[in-house]
Amino acid sequence: MSDAPILKIAGLRAKVAEDELEILKGVDLALGKGEIHAIMGPNGSGKSTLAKVLAGHPGYEVTAGTVEFHGKDLLGLEPDERSRAGIFLAFQYPVDIPGVSIANFMRTAVQAHLPEGEELDLFDFQDMLLERMEMLEMEPAFAERHVNDGFSGGEKKRNEILQMAVLKPSLALMDETDSGLDIDALKIVSGGVNKLAEENPDMAILVITHYQRLLGYIKPHHVHVMVEGRIVQSGGPEIALELEEEGYKSWQAHELSAGA
Amino acid sequence: MIGELMEGVTEALNGAAVGRVSTREPNWLRERRDHAWDVYERTPMPTTKLEEWRYTDLKKKLDLGALKLSEAPPAPDRAEAWPLRLREAMALDREASGRIVLFDGHTVHTELDPELEAKGVVLCSLHEAVESHTELVKEYLATQAVPPEEGKFAALNAALWNDGIFLHVPRGVHLDCPVRITRWFTESGAAYFSRTLIVADTASRVSYVDEFLSDDFEAQTLTSSAVEVIARDGAQVQYVAVQRLGRGAFYQSVQRTLAGRDSTLDTLNVALGATTTRVDLNARLLGPGANSDMLGLYFGDDNQHFDFNTSQDHVSDNAGSDLLYKGALDGHSRAVFRGIIRVHKGAQKTDAYQTNRNLLLSPHARADSLPNLEIEADDVKCSHGATVGQLDEEAKFYLMSRGLPRIAAERLVVLGFLGEVLSRLPLGGVGHKVTRVIEEKLGHDV
């Protein structure tokens, strides 16, 4: 852990773009190579907003603070530039793109990740996609389906993991990946994430979740608790278990008393 | 020689012009032109007070008085001498049963598979067909399908048409590859009037692709097209119009299809170019078992204006029609879709559907969709639907978060959106071409 962090967030404040509503109220966080961090927190605490802000969602505006990714400023980049720099956001609510097959979408994305002027070899791509799907135990026919169009909740999340497997990010942001999944789907999805982490031990993962459940499958090295736009506690995996027993109430109460 | 050329250049659209274009024609045809001109003069120019022209203000969009009949000299029948864009368009047409290339309305190249010729297939200019296939031309030219009484433009076209294509497919003959017509226009400020007459005899099969191409025009240029397609009993016909004219063009097309018993008569209108596009398409289902799929694709940017006016006339019982028009609109472009399903008295067991979907890529683009039903039978299945959607920020963000630059993201969404129409093309050899020309237009926007 002596390496410089992959991601370094300092004093980050952000609000809804066309509103004065401030959601992130000064977030500090650093992720090192190969580290898995979890951010837990109640609904509305700002944890999903943090993931979206890091990916460059146009619905939010950063008002203060800095974010460095591999030592370079991240906040000045467009969402596509962030992706090409190595950030991947697994969406809580993946968007359906009718008429566009997963294979076509991924081919376009992989092409976009290549240096300018370099042409993707379609046969190499096809082989790579099939290999990635095999690793995630997916049927090849899945690639011909239209992106998230008519997908079940589980299929949507698996599709996110497939995209992550294809794009091989150095930082994966997993926004409520467990929401809407039954236990079997949860096992499959987290199994996929673990395989990718194994394959690429340098990849850092930031897991955003409301429940401890997911953390039984994707085991974090560090857990942070976010309440009302701030990280209020950081520690080891044991924090997740404490939260399981006590809930967030004590934190919210703590916040209130601290504020009073 | 110089005098003749000068005279041509100054030929306005008037009664004298009718006389000139019909000089060497038989009397019956000259009478038809004169009659059409009468109808034209009697018919007032449509205004926005008419429901069918509510969103296309001709006073602002078309200056007929400034147009001259095209008198461009013929181009050589040497492909090397043709413009690159024309040659590229033709290079995409790999398979063809027959071809005609028109250069400013002059037929410069005609070819037809000799085997098909031996089977009696006729593909030639309408002028030739007037002599060689008088009976068929007399029966169908501007009579049952697009008579001058259809409207101001139908009348003007019937009076002044100066280039035309005639295709006759005899009984039982199947064409496996499309017949391809490529039209190239060069004369800025000109008016072109073309007619297409397709007669597919009993149980024949043919696909026909009519492509309109040009560079941008400095002055407004009118390409008027009247299309008459007749499918006799059991015939399978597909008519495809691909409009890729340059800016400055006013593309106006009146199309009518007459579908006989157990025939299939499908159409596809692809509109990508021109400043203004106006298509009046009427499908008539005339015999039981007839079916028409009516597909449309448009993609606009800048200040392009598209107006599609369609009707599905179920004259016969037990016939089907299914219309799907989809368009994407960027910049300040605008589309109007007005469609009506008319189920005539006694047309029981009709299945008729109509769908128009629009995707707005820019906050300044606009789409109006006006679907309509007029049903005079009680045992029918009919539906219509229209949507106007936005390419929302969330979808764009999703695609961009995978590394796609904004333009590539939009392009993918548009191709996906329009792809539904392409996947429904029943006869081969067309989808590839249409996909490529849409991609070309998407590329042009980068």
Side-chain angles (χ1 to χ4, degrees):
Chain A
M1 305 288 162
S2 57
D3 292 337
I6 284 185
L7 181 75
K8 191 163 182 261
I9 304 171
L12 185 66
R13 303 178 84 96
K15 67 176 191 72
V16 177
E18 282 153 25
D19 200 326
E20 289 314 304
L21 185 67
E22 187 172 58
I23 299 181
L24 300 181
K25 298 171 180 169
V27 175
D28 298 286
L29 185 66
L31 265 76
K33 223 193 247 180
E35 293 179 359
I36 301 178
H37 290 234
I39 295 189
M40 302 185 70
N43 290 330
S45 61
K47 58 191 191 301
S48 277
T49 298
L50 176 63
K52 289 180 188 169
V53 166
L54 292 175
H57 194 290
Y60 301 94
E61 193 183 311
V62 172
T63 51
T66 58
V67 178
E68 282 181 7
F69 183 55
H70 292 292
K72 286 181 192 151
D73 170 53
L74 181 74
L75 298 176
L77 301 181
E78 290 290 313
D80 55 318
E81 294 170 321
R82 297 181 194 205
S83 165
R84 298 197 295 271
I87 288 185
F88 181 89
L89 171 64
F91 278 53
Q92 182 179 5
Y93 303 110
V95 181
D96 56 314
I97 314 288
V100 177
S101 70
I102 291 174
N104 187 8
F105 177 31
M106 281 297 94
R107 196 184 64 221
T108 316
V110 172
Q111 173 69 58
H113 278 250
L114 293 178
E116 220 173 299
E118 207 170 298
E119 273 295 313
L120 179 65
D121 182 294
L122 292 186
F123 293 105
D124 289 351
F125 169 75
Q126 199 63 32
D127 290 348
M128 185 268 280
L129 183 63
L130 283 173
E131 179 267 314
R132 299 274 85 181
M133 294 180 78
E134 206 180 305
M135 183 185 86
L136 298 171
E137 293 165 45
M138 300 171 97
E139 293 297 321
F142 190 70
E144 294 314 314
R145 293 182 61 186
H146 294 171
V147 180
N148 297 321
D149 196 11
F151 283 21
S152 69
E155 285 171 333
K156 284 185 184 174
K157 296 298 165 82
R158 290 183 74 184
N159 184 23
E160 295 295 286
I161 305 308
L162 172 63
Q163 294 175 40
M164 181 171 146
V166 167
L167 296 175
K168 298 180 181 162
S170 55
L171 171 65
L173 309 168
M174 319 219 44
D175 187 9
E176 308 263 7
T177 297
D178 51 332
S179 71
L181 294 188
D182 61 31
I183 197 73
D184 291 330
L186 182 64
K187 279 183 188 167
I188 293 171
V189 166
S190 54
V193 174
N194 287 329
K195 274 185 195 169
L196 293 176
E198 223 170 274
E199 181 186 79
N200 178 7
D202 282 352
M203 176 171 68
I205 304 177
L206 184 61
V207 181
I208 309 277
T209 183
H210 184 85
Y211 302 104
Q212 194 272 335
R213 188 174 79 139
L214 176 66
L215 304 182
Y217 298 94
I218 302 175
K219 300 212 183 304
H221 306 114
H222 304 274
V223 176
H224 311 274
V225 181
M226 188 177 236
V227 176
E228 290 172 15
R230 282 189 198 95
I231 289 174
V232 294
Q233 193 192 3
S234 296
E238 70 285 351
I239 293 183
L241 296 170
E242 286 165 24
L243 281 174
E244 177 89 329
E245 281 168 23
E246 296 166 27
Y248 296 107
K249 283 216 169 60
S250 61
W251 279 110
Q252 283 158 309
H254 165 82
E255 275 289 287
L256 285 176
S257 60
Chain B
M1 190 68 198
I2 287 169
E4 212 178 286
L5 205 68
M6 289 295 292
E7 195 184 352
V9 170
T10 56
E11 186 84 86
L13 312 182
N14 53 31
V18 180
R20 251 180 65 100
V21 293
S22 61
T23 335
R24 285 189 295 265
E25 289 177 344
N27 280 339
W28 65 266
L29 185 51
R30 213 176 302 162
E31 279 160 21
R32 269 186 206 183
R33 286 187 187 272
D34 289 340
H35 166 68
W37 184 257
D38 279 350
V39 176
Y40 172 75
E41 290 203 303
R42 271 189 275 123
T43 310
M45 186 58 80
T47 68
T48 52
K49 290 202 180 94
L50 291 173
E51 180 53 37
E52 296 199 337
W53 288 91
R54 210 168 109 198
Y55 294 99
T56 300
D57 189 350
L58 290 170
K59 267 198 304 223
K60 290 183 187 148
K61 296 209 174 283
L62 180 66
D63 184 3
L64 275 178
L67 295 168
K68 310 279 181 266
L69 270 189
S70 165
E71 277 295 327
D77 181 5
R78 277 192 304 116
E80 320 80 75
W82 298 344
L84 183 64
R85 193 166 143 79
L86 172 60
R87 282 184 281 143
E88 280 175 351
M90 293 187 63
L92 287 177
D93 301 334
R94 284 174 302 193
E95 310 129 330
S97 288
R99 290 178 199 275
I100 290 187
V101 180
L102 293 116
F103 218 101
D104 284 320
H106 301 284
T107 303
V108 296
H109 178 82
T110 307
E111 66 181 64
L112 178 65
D113 181 343
E115 267 180 47
L116 294 170
E117 202 169 353
K119 286 181 183 166
V121 175
V122 179
L123 175 67
C124 64
S125 84
L126 200 48
H127 292 293
E128 264 178 84
V130 166
E131 307 292 334
S132 62
H133 293 76
T134 314
E135 285 315 304
L136 274 176
V137 175
K138 217 170 173 174
E139 185 180 352
Y140 288 114
L141 184 71
T143 53
Q144 304 172 29
V146 187
E149 287 78 9
E150 267 309 288
K152 189 80 172 166
F153 288 102
L156 184 62
N157 187 295
L160 286 176
W161 66 269
N162 48 6
D163 73 79
I165 307 287
F166 175 72
L167 172 66
H168 178 231
V169 185
R171 175 184 285 262
V173 174
H174 287 194
L175 276 64
D176 294 325
C177 299
V179 168
R180 299 185 186 271
I181 311 302
T182 314
R183 305 166 186 273
W184 178 256
F185 302 92
T186 68
E187 210 182 342
S188 183
Y192 295 93
F193 296 94
S194 70
R195 287 197 86 87
T196 301
L197 175 58
I198 299 169
V199 181
D201 239 315
T202 309
S204 64
R205 188 170 79 194
V206 63
S207 167
Y208 183 99
V209 184
D210 203 355
E211 184 166 16
F212 294 75
L213 280 168
S214 80
D215 288 329
D216 293 347
F217 295 109
E218 266 172 43
Q220 184 172 63
T221 303
L222 173 69
T223 65
S224 163
S225 167
V227 179
E228 302 177 288
V229 188
I230 291 96
R232 289 181 170 160
D233 296 355
Q236 293 175 59
V237 183
Q238 174 175 274
Y239 173 81
V240 179
V242 181
Q243 188 272 100
R244 296 204 287 148
L245 293 164
R247 302 303 155 91
F250 187 112
Y251 170 76
Q252 173 273 317
S253 181
V254 186
Q255 307 166 4
R256 180 170 284 178
T257 61
L258 307 179
R261 175 184 288 264
D262 295 321
S263 70
T264 304
L265 213 178
D266 300 331
T267 52
L268 167 64
N269 273 289
V270 179
L272 301 174
T275 298
T276 308
T277 294
R278 165 75 181 205
V279 175
D280 291 88
L281 166 64
N282 174 223
R284 294 179 78 79
L285 290 305
L286 299 176
N291 192 77
S292 282
D293 262 13
M294 302 155 74
L295 302 173
L297 273 181
Y298 45 98
F299 177 30
D301 57 29
D302 295 339
N303 62 344
Q304 284 186 289
H305 181 98
F306 302 89
D307 187 341
F308 298 97
N309 185 36
T310 71
S311 47
Q312 292 151 264
D313 268 291
H314 283 262
V315 178
S316 166
D317 60 302
N318 285 287
S321 65
D322 192 355
L323 176 146
L324 175 65
Y325 269 61
K326 290 186 92 169
L329 299 163
D330 206 347
H332 286 78
S333 65
R334 175 168 191 188
V336 183
F337 172 85
R338 187 185 311 87
I340 186 162
I341 295 173
R342 290 191 208 98
V343 181
H344 295 223
K345 261 196 194 111
Q348 303 295 5
K349 308 279 180 197
T350 286
D351 274 346
Y353 307 99
Q354 185 195 75
T355 309
N356 173 229
R357 299 198 190 288
N358 295 283
L359 178 66
L360 303 182
L361 302 172
S362 132
H364 308 293
R366 176 172 169 184
D368 293 281
S369 200
L370 307 128
N372 215 336
L373 295 173
E374 210 176 275
I375 300 178
E376 294 185 64
D378 50 25
D379 183 14
V380 301
K381 275 192 247 167
C382 290
S383 74
H384 63 187
T387 55
V388 179
Q390 305 261 0
L391 172 55
D392 62 9
E393 285 301 318
E394 199 62 26
K396 229 184 278 184
F397 173 61
Y398 185 63
L399 296 168
M400 288 179 73
S401 77
R402 298 325 185 220
L404 277 64
R406 193 173 298 272
I407 297 286
E410 286 184 0
R411 182 181 180 138
L412 199 64
V413 170
V414 170
L415 275 178
F417 177 76
L418 298 179
E420 186 194 349
V421 176
L422 297 175
S423 68
R424 275 184 42 181
L425 287 180
L427 297 185
V430 178
H432 167 75
K433 166 80 179 241
V434 176
T435 307
R436 286 293 297 274
V437 299
I438 291 170
E439 280 173 348
E440 189 194 300
K441 171 143 184 174
L442 281 160
H444 172 79
D445 289 342
V446 175

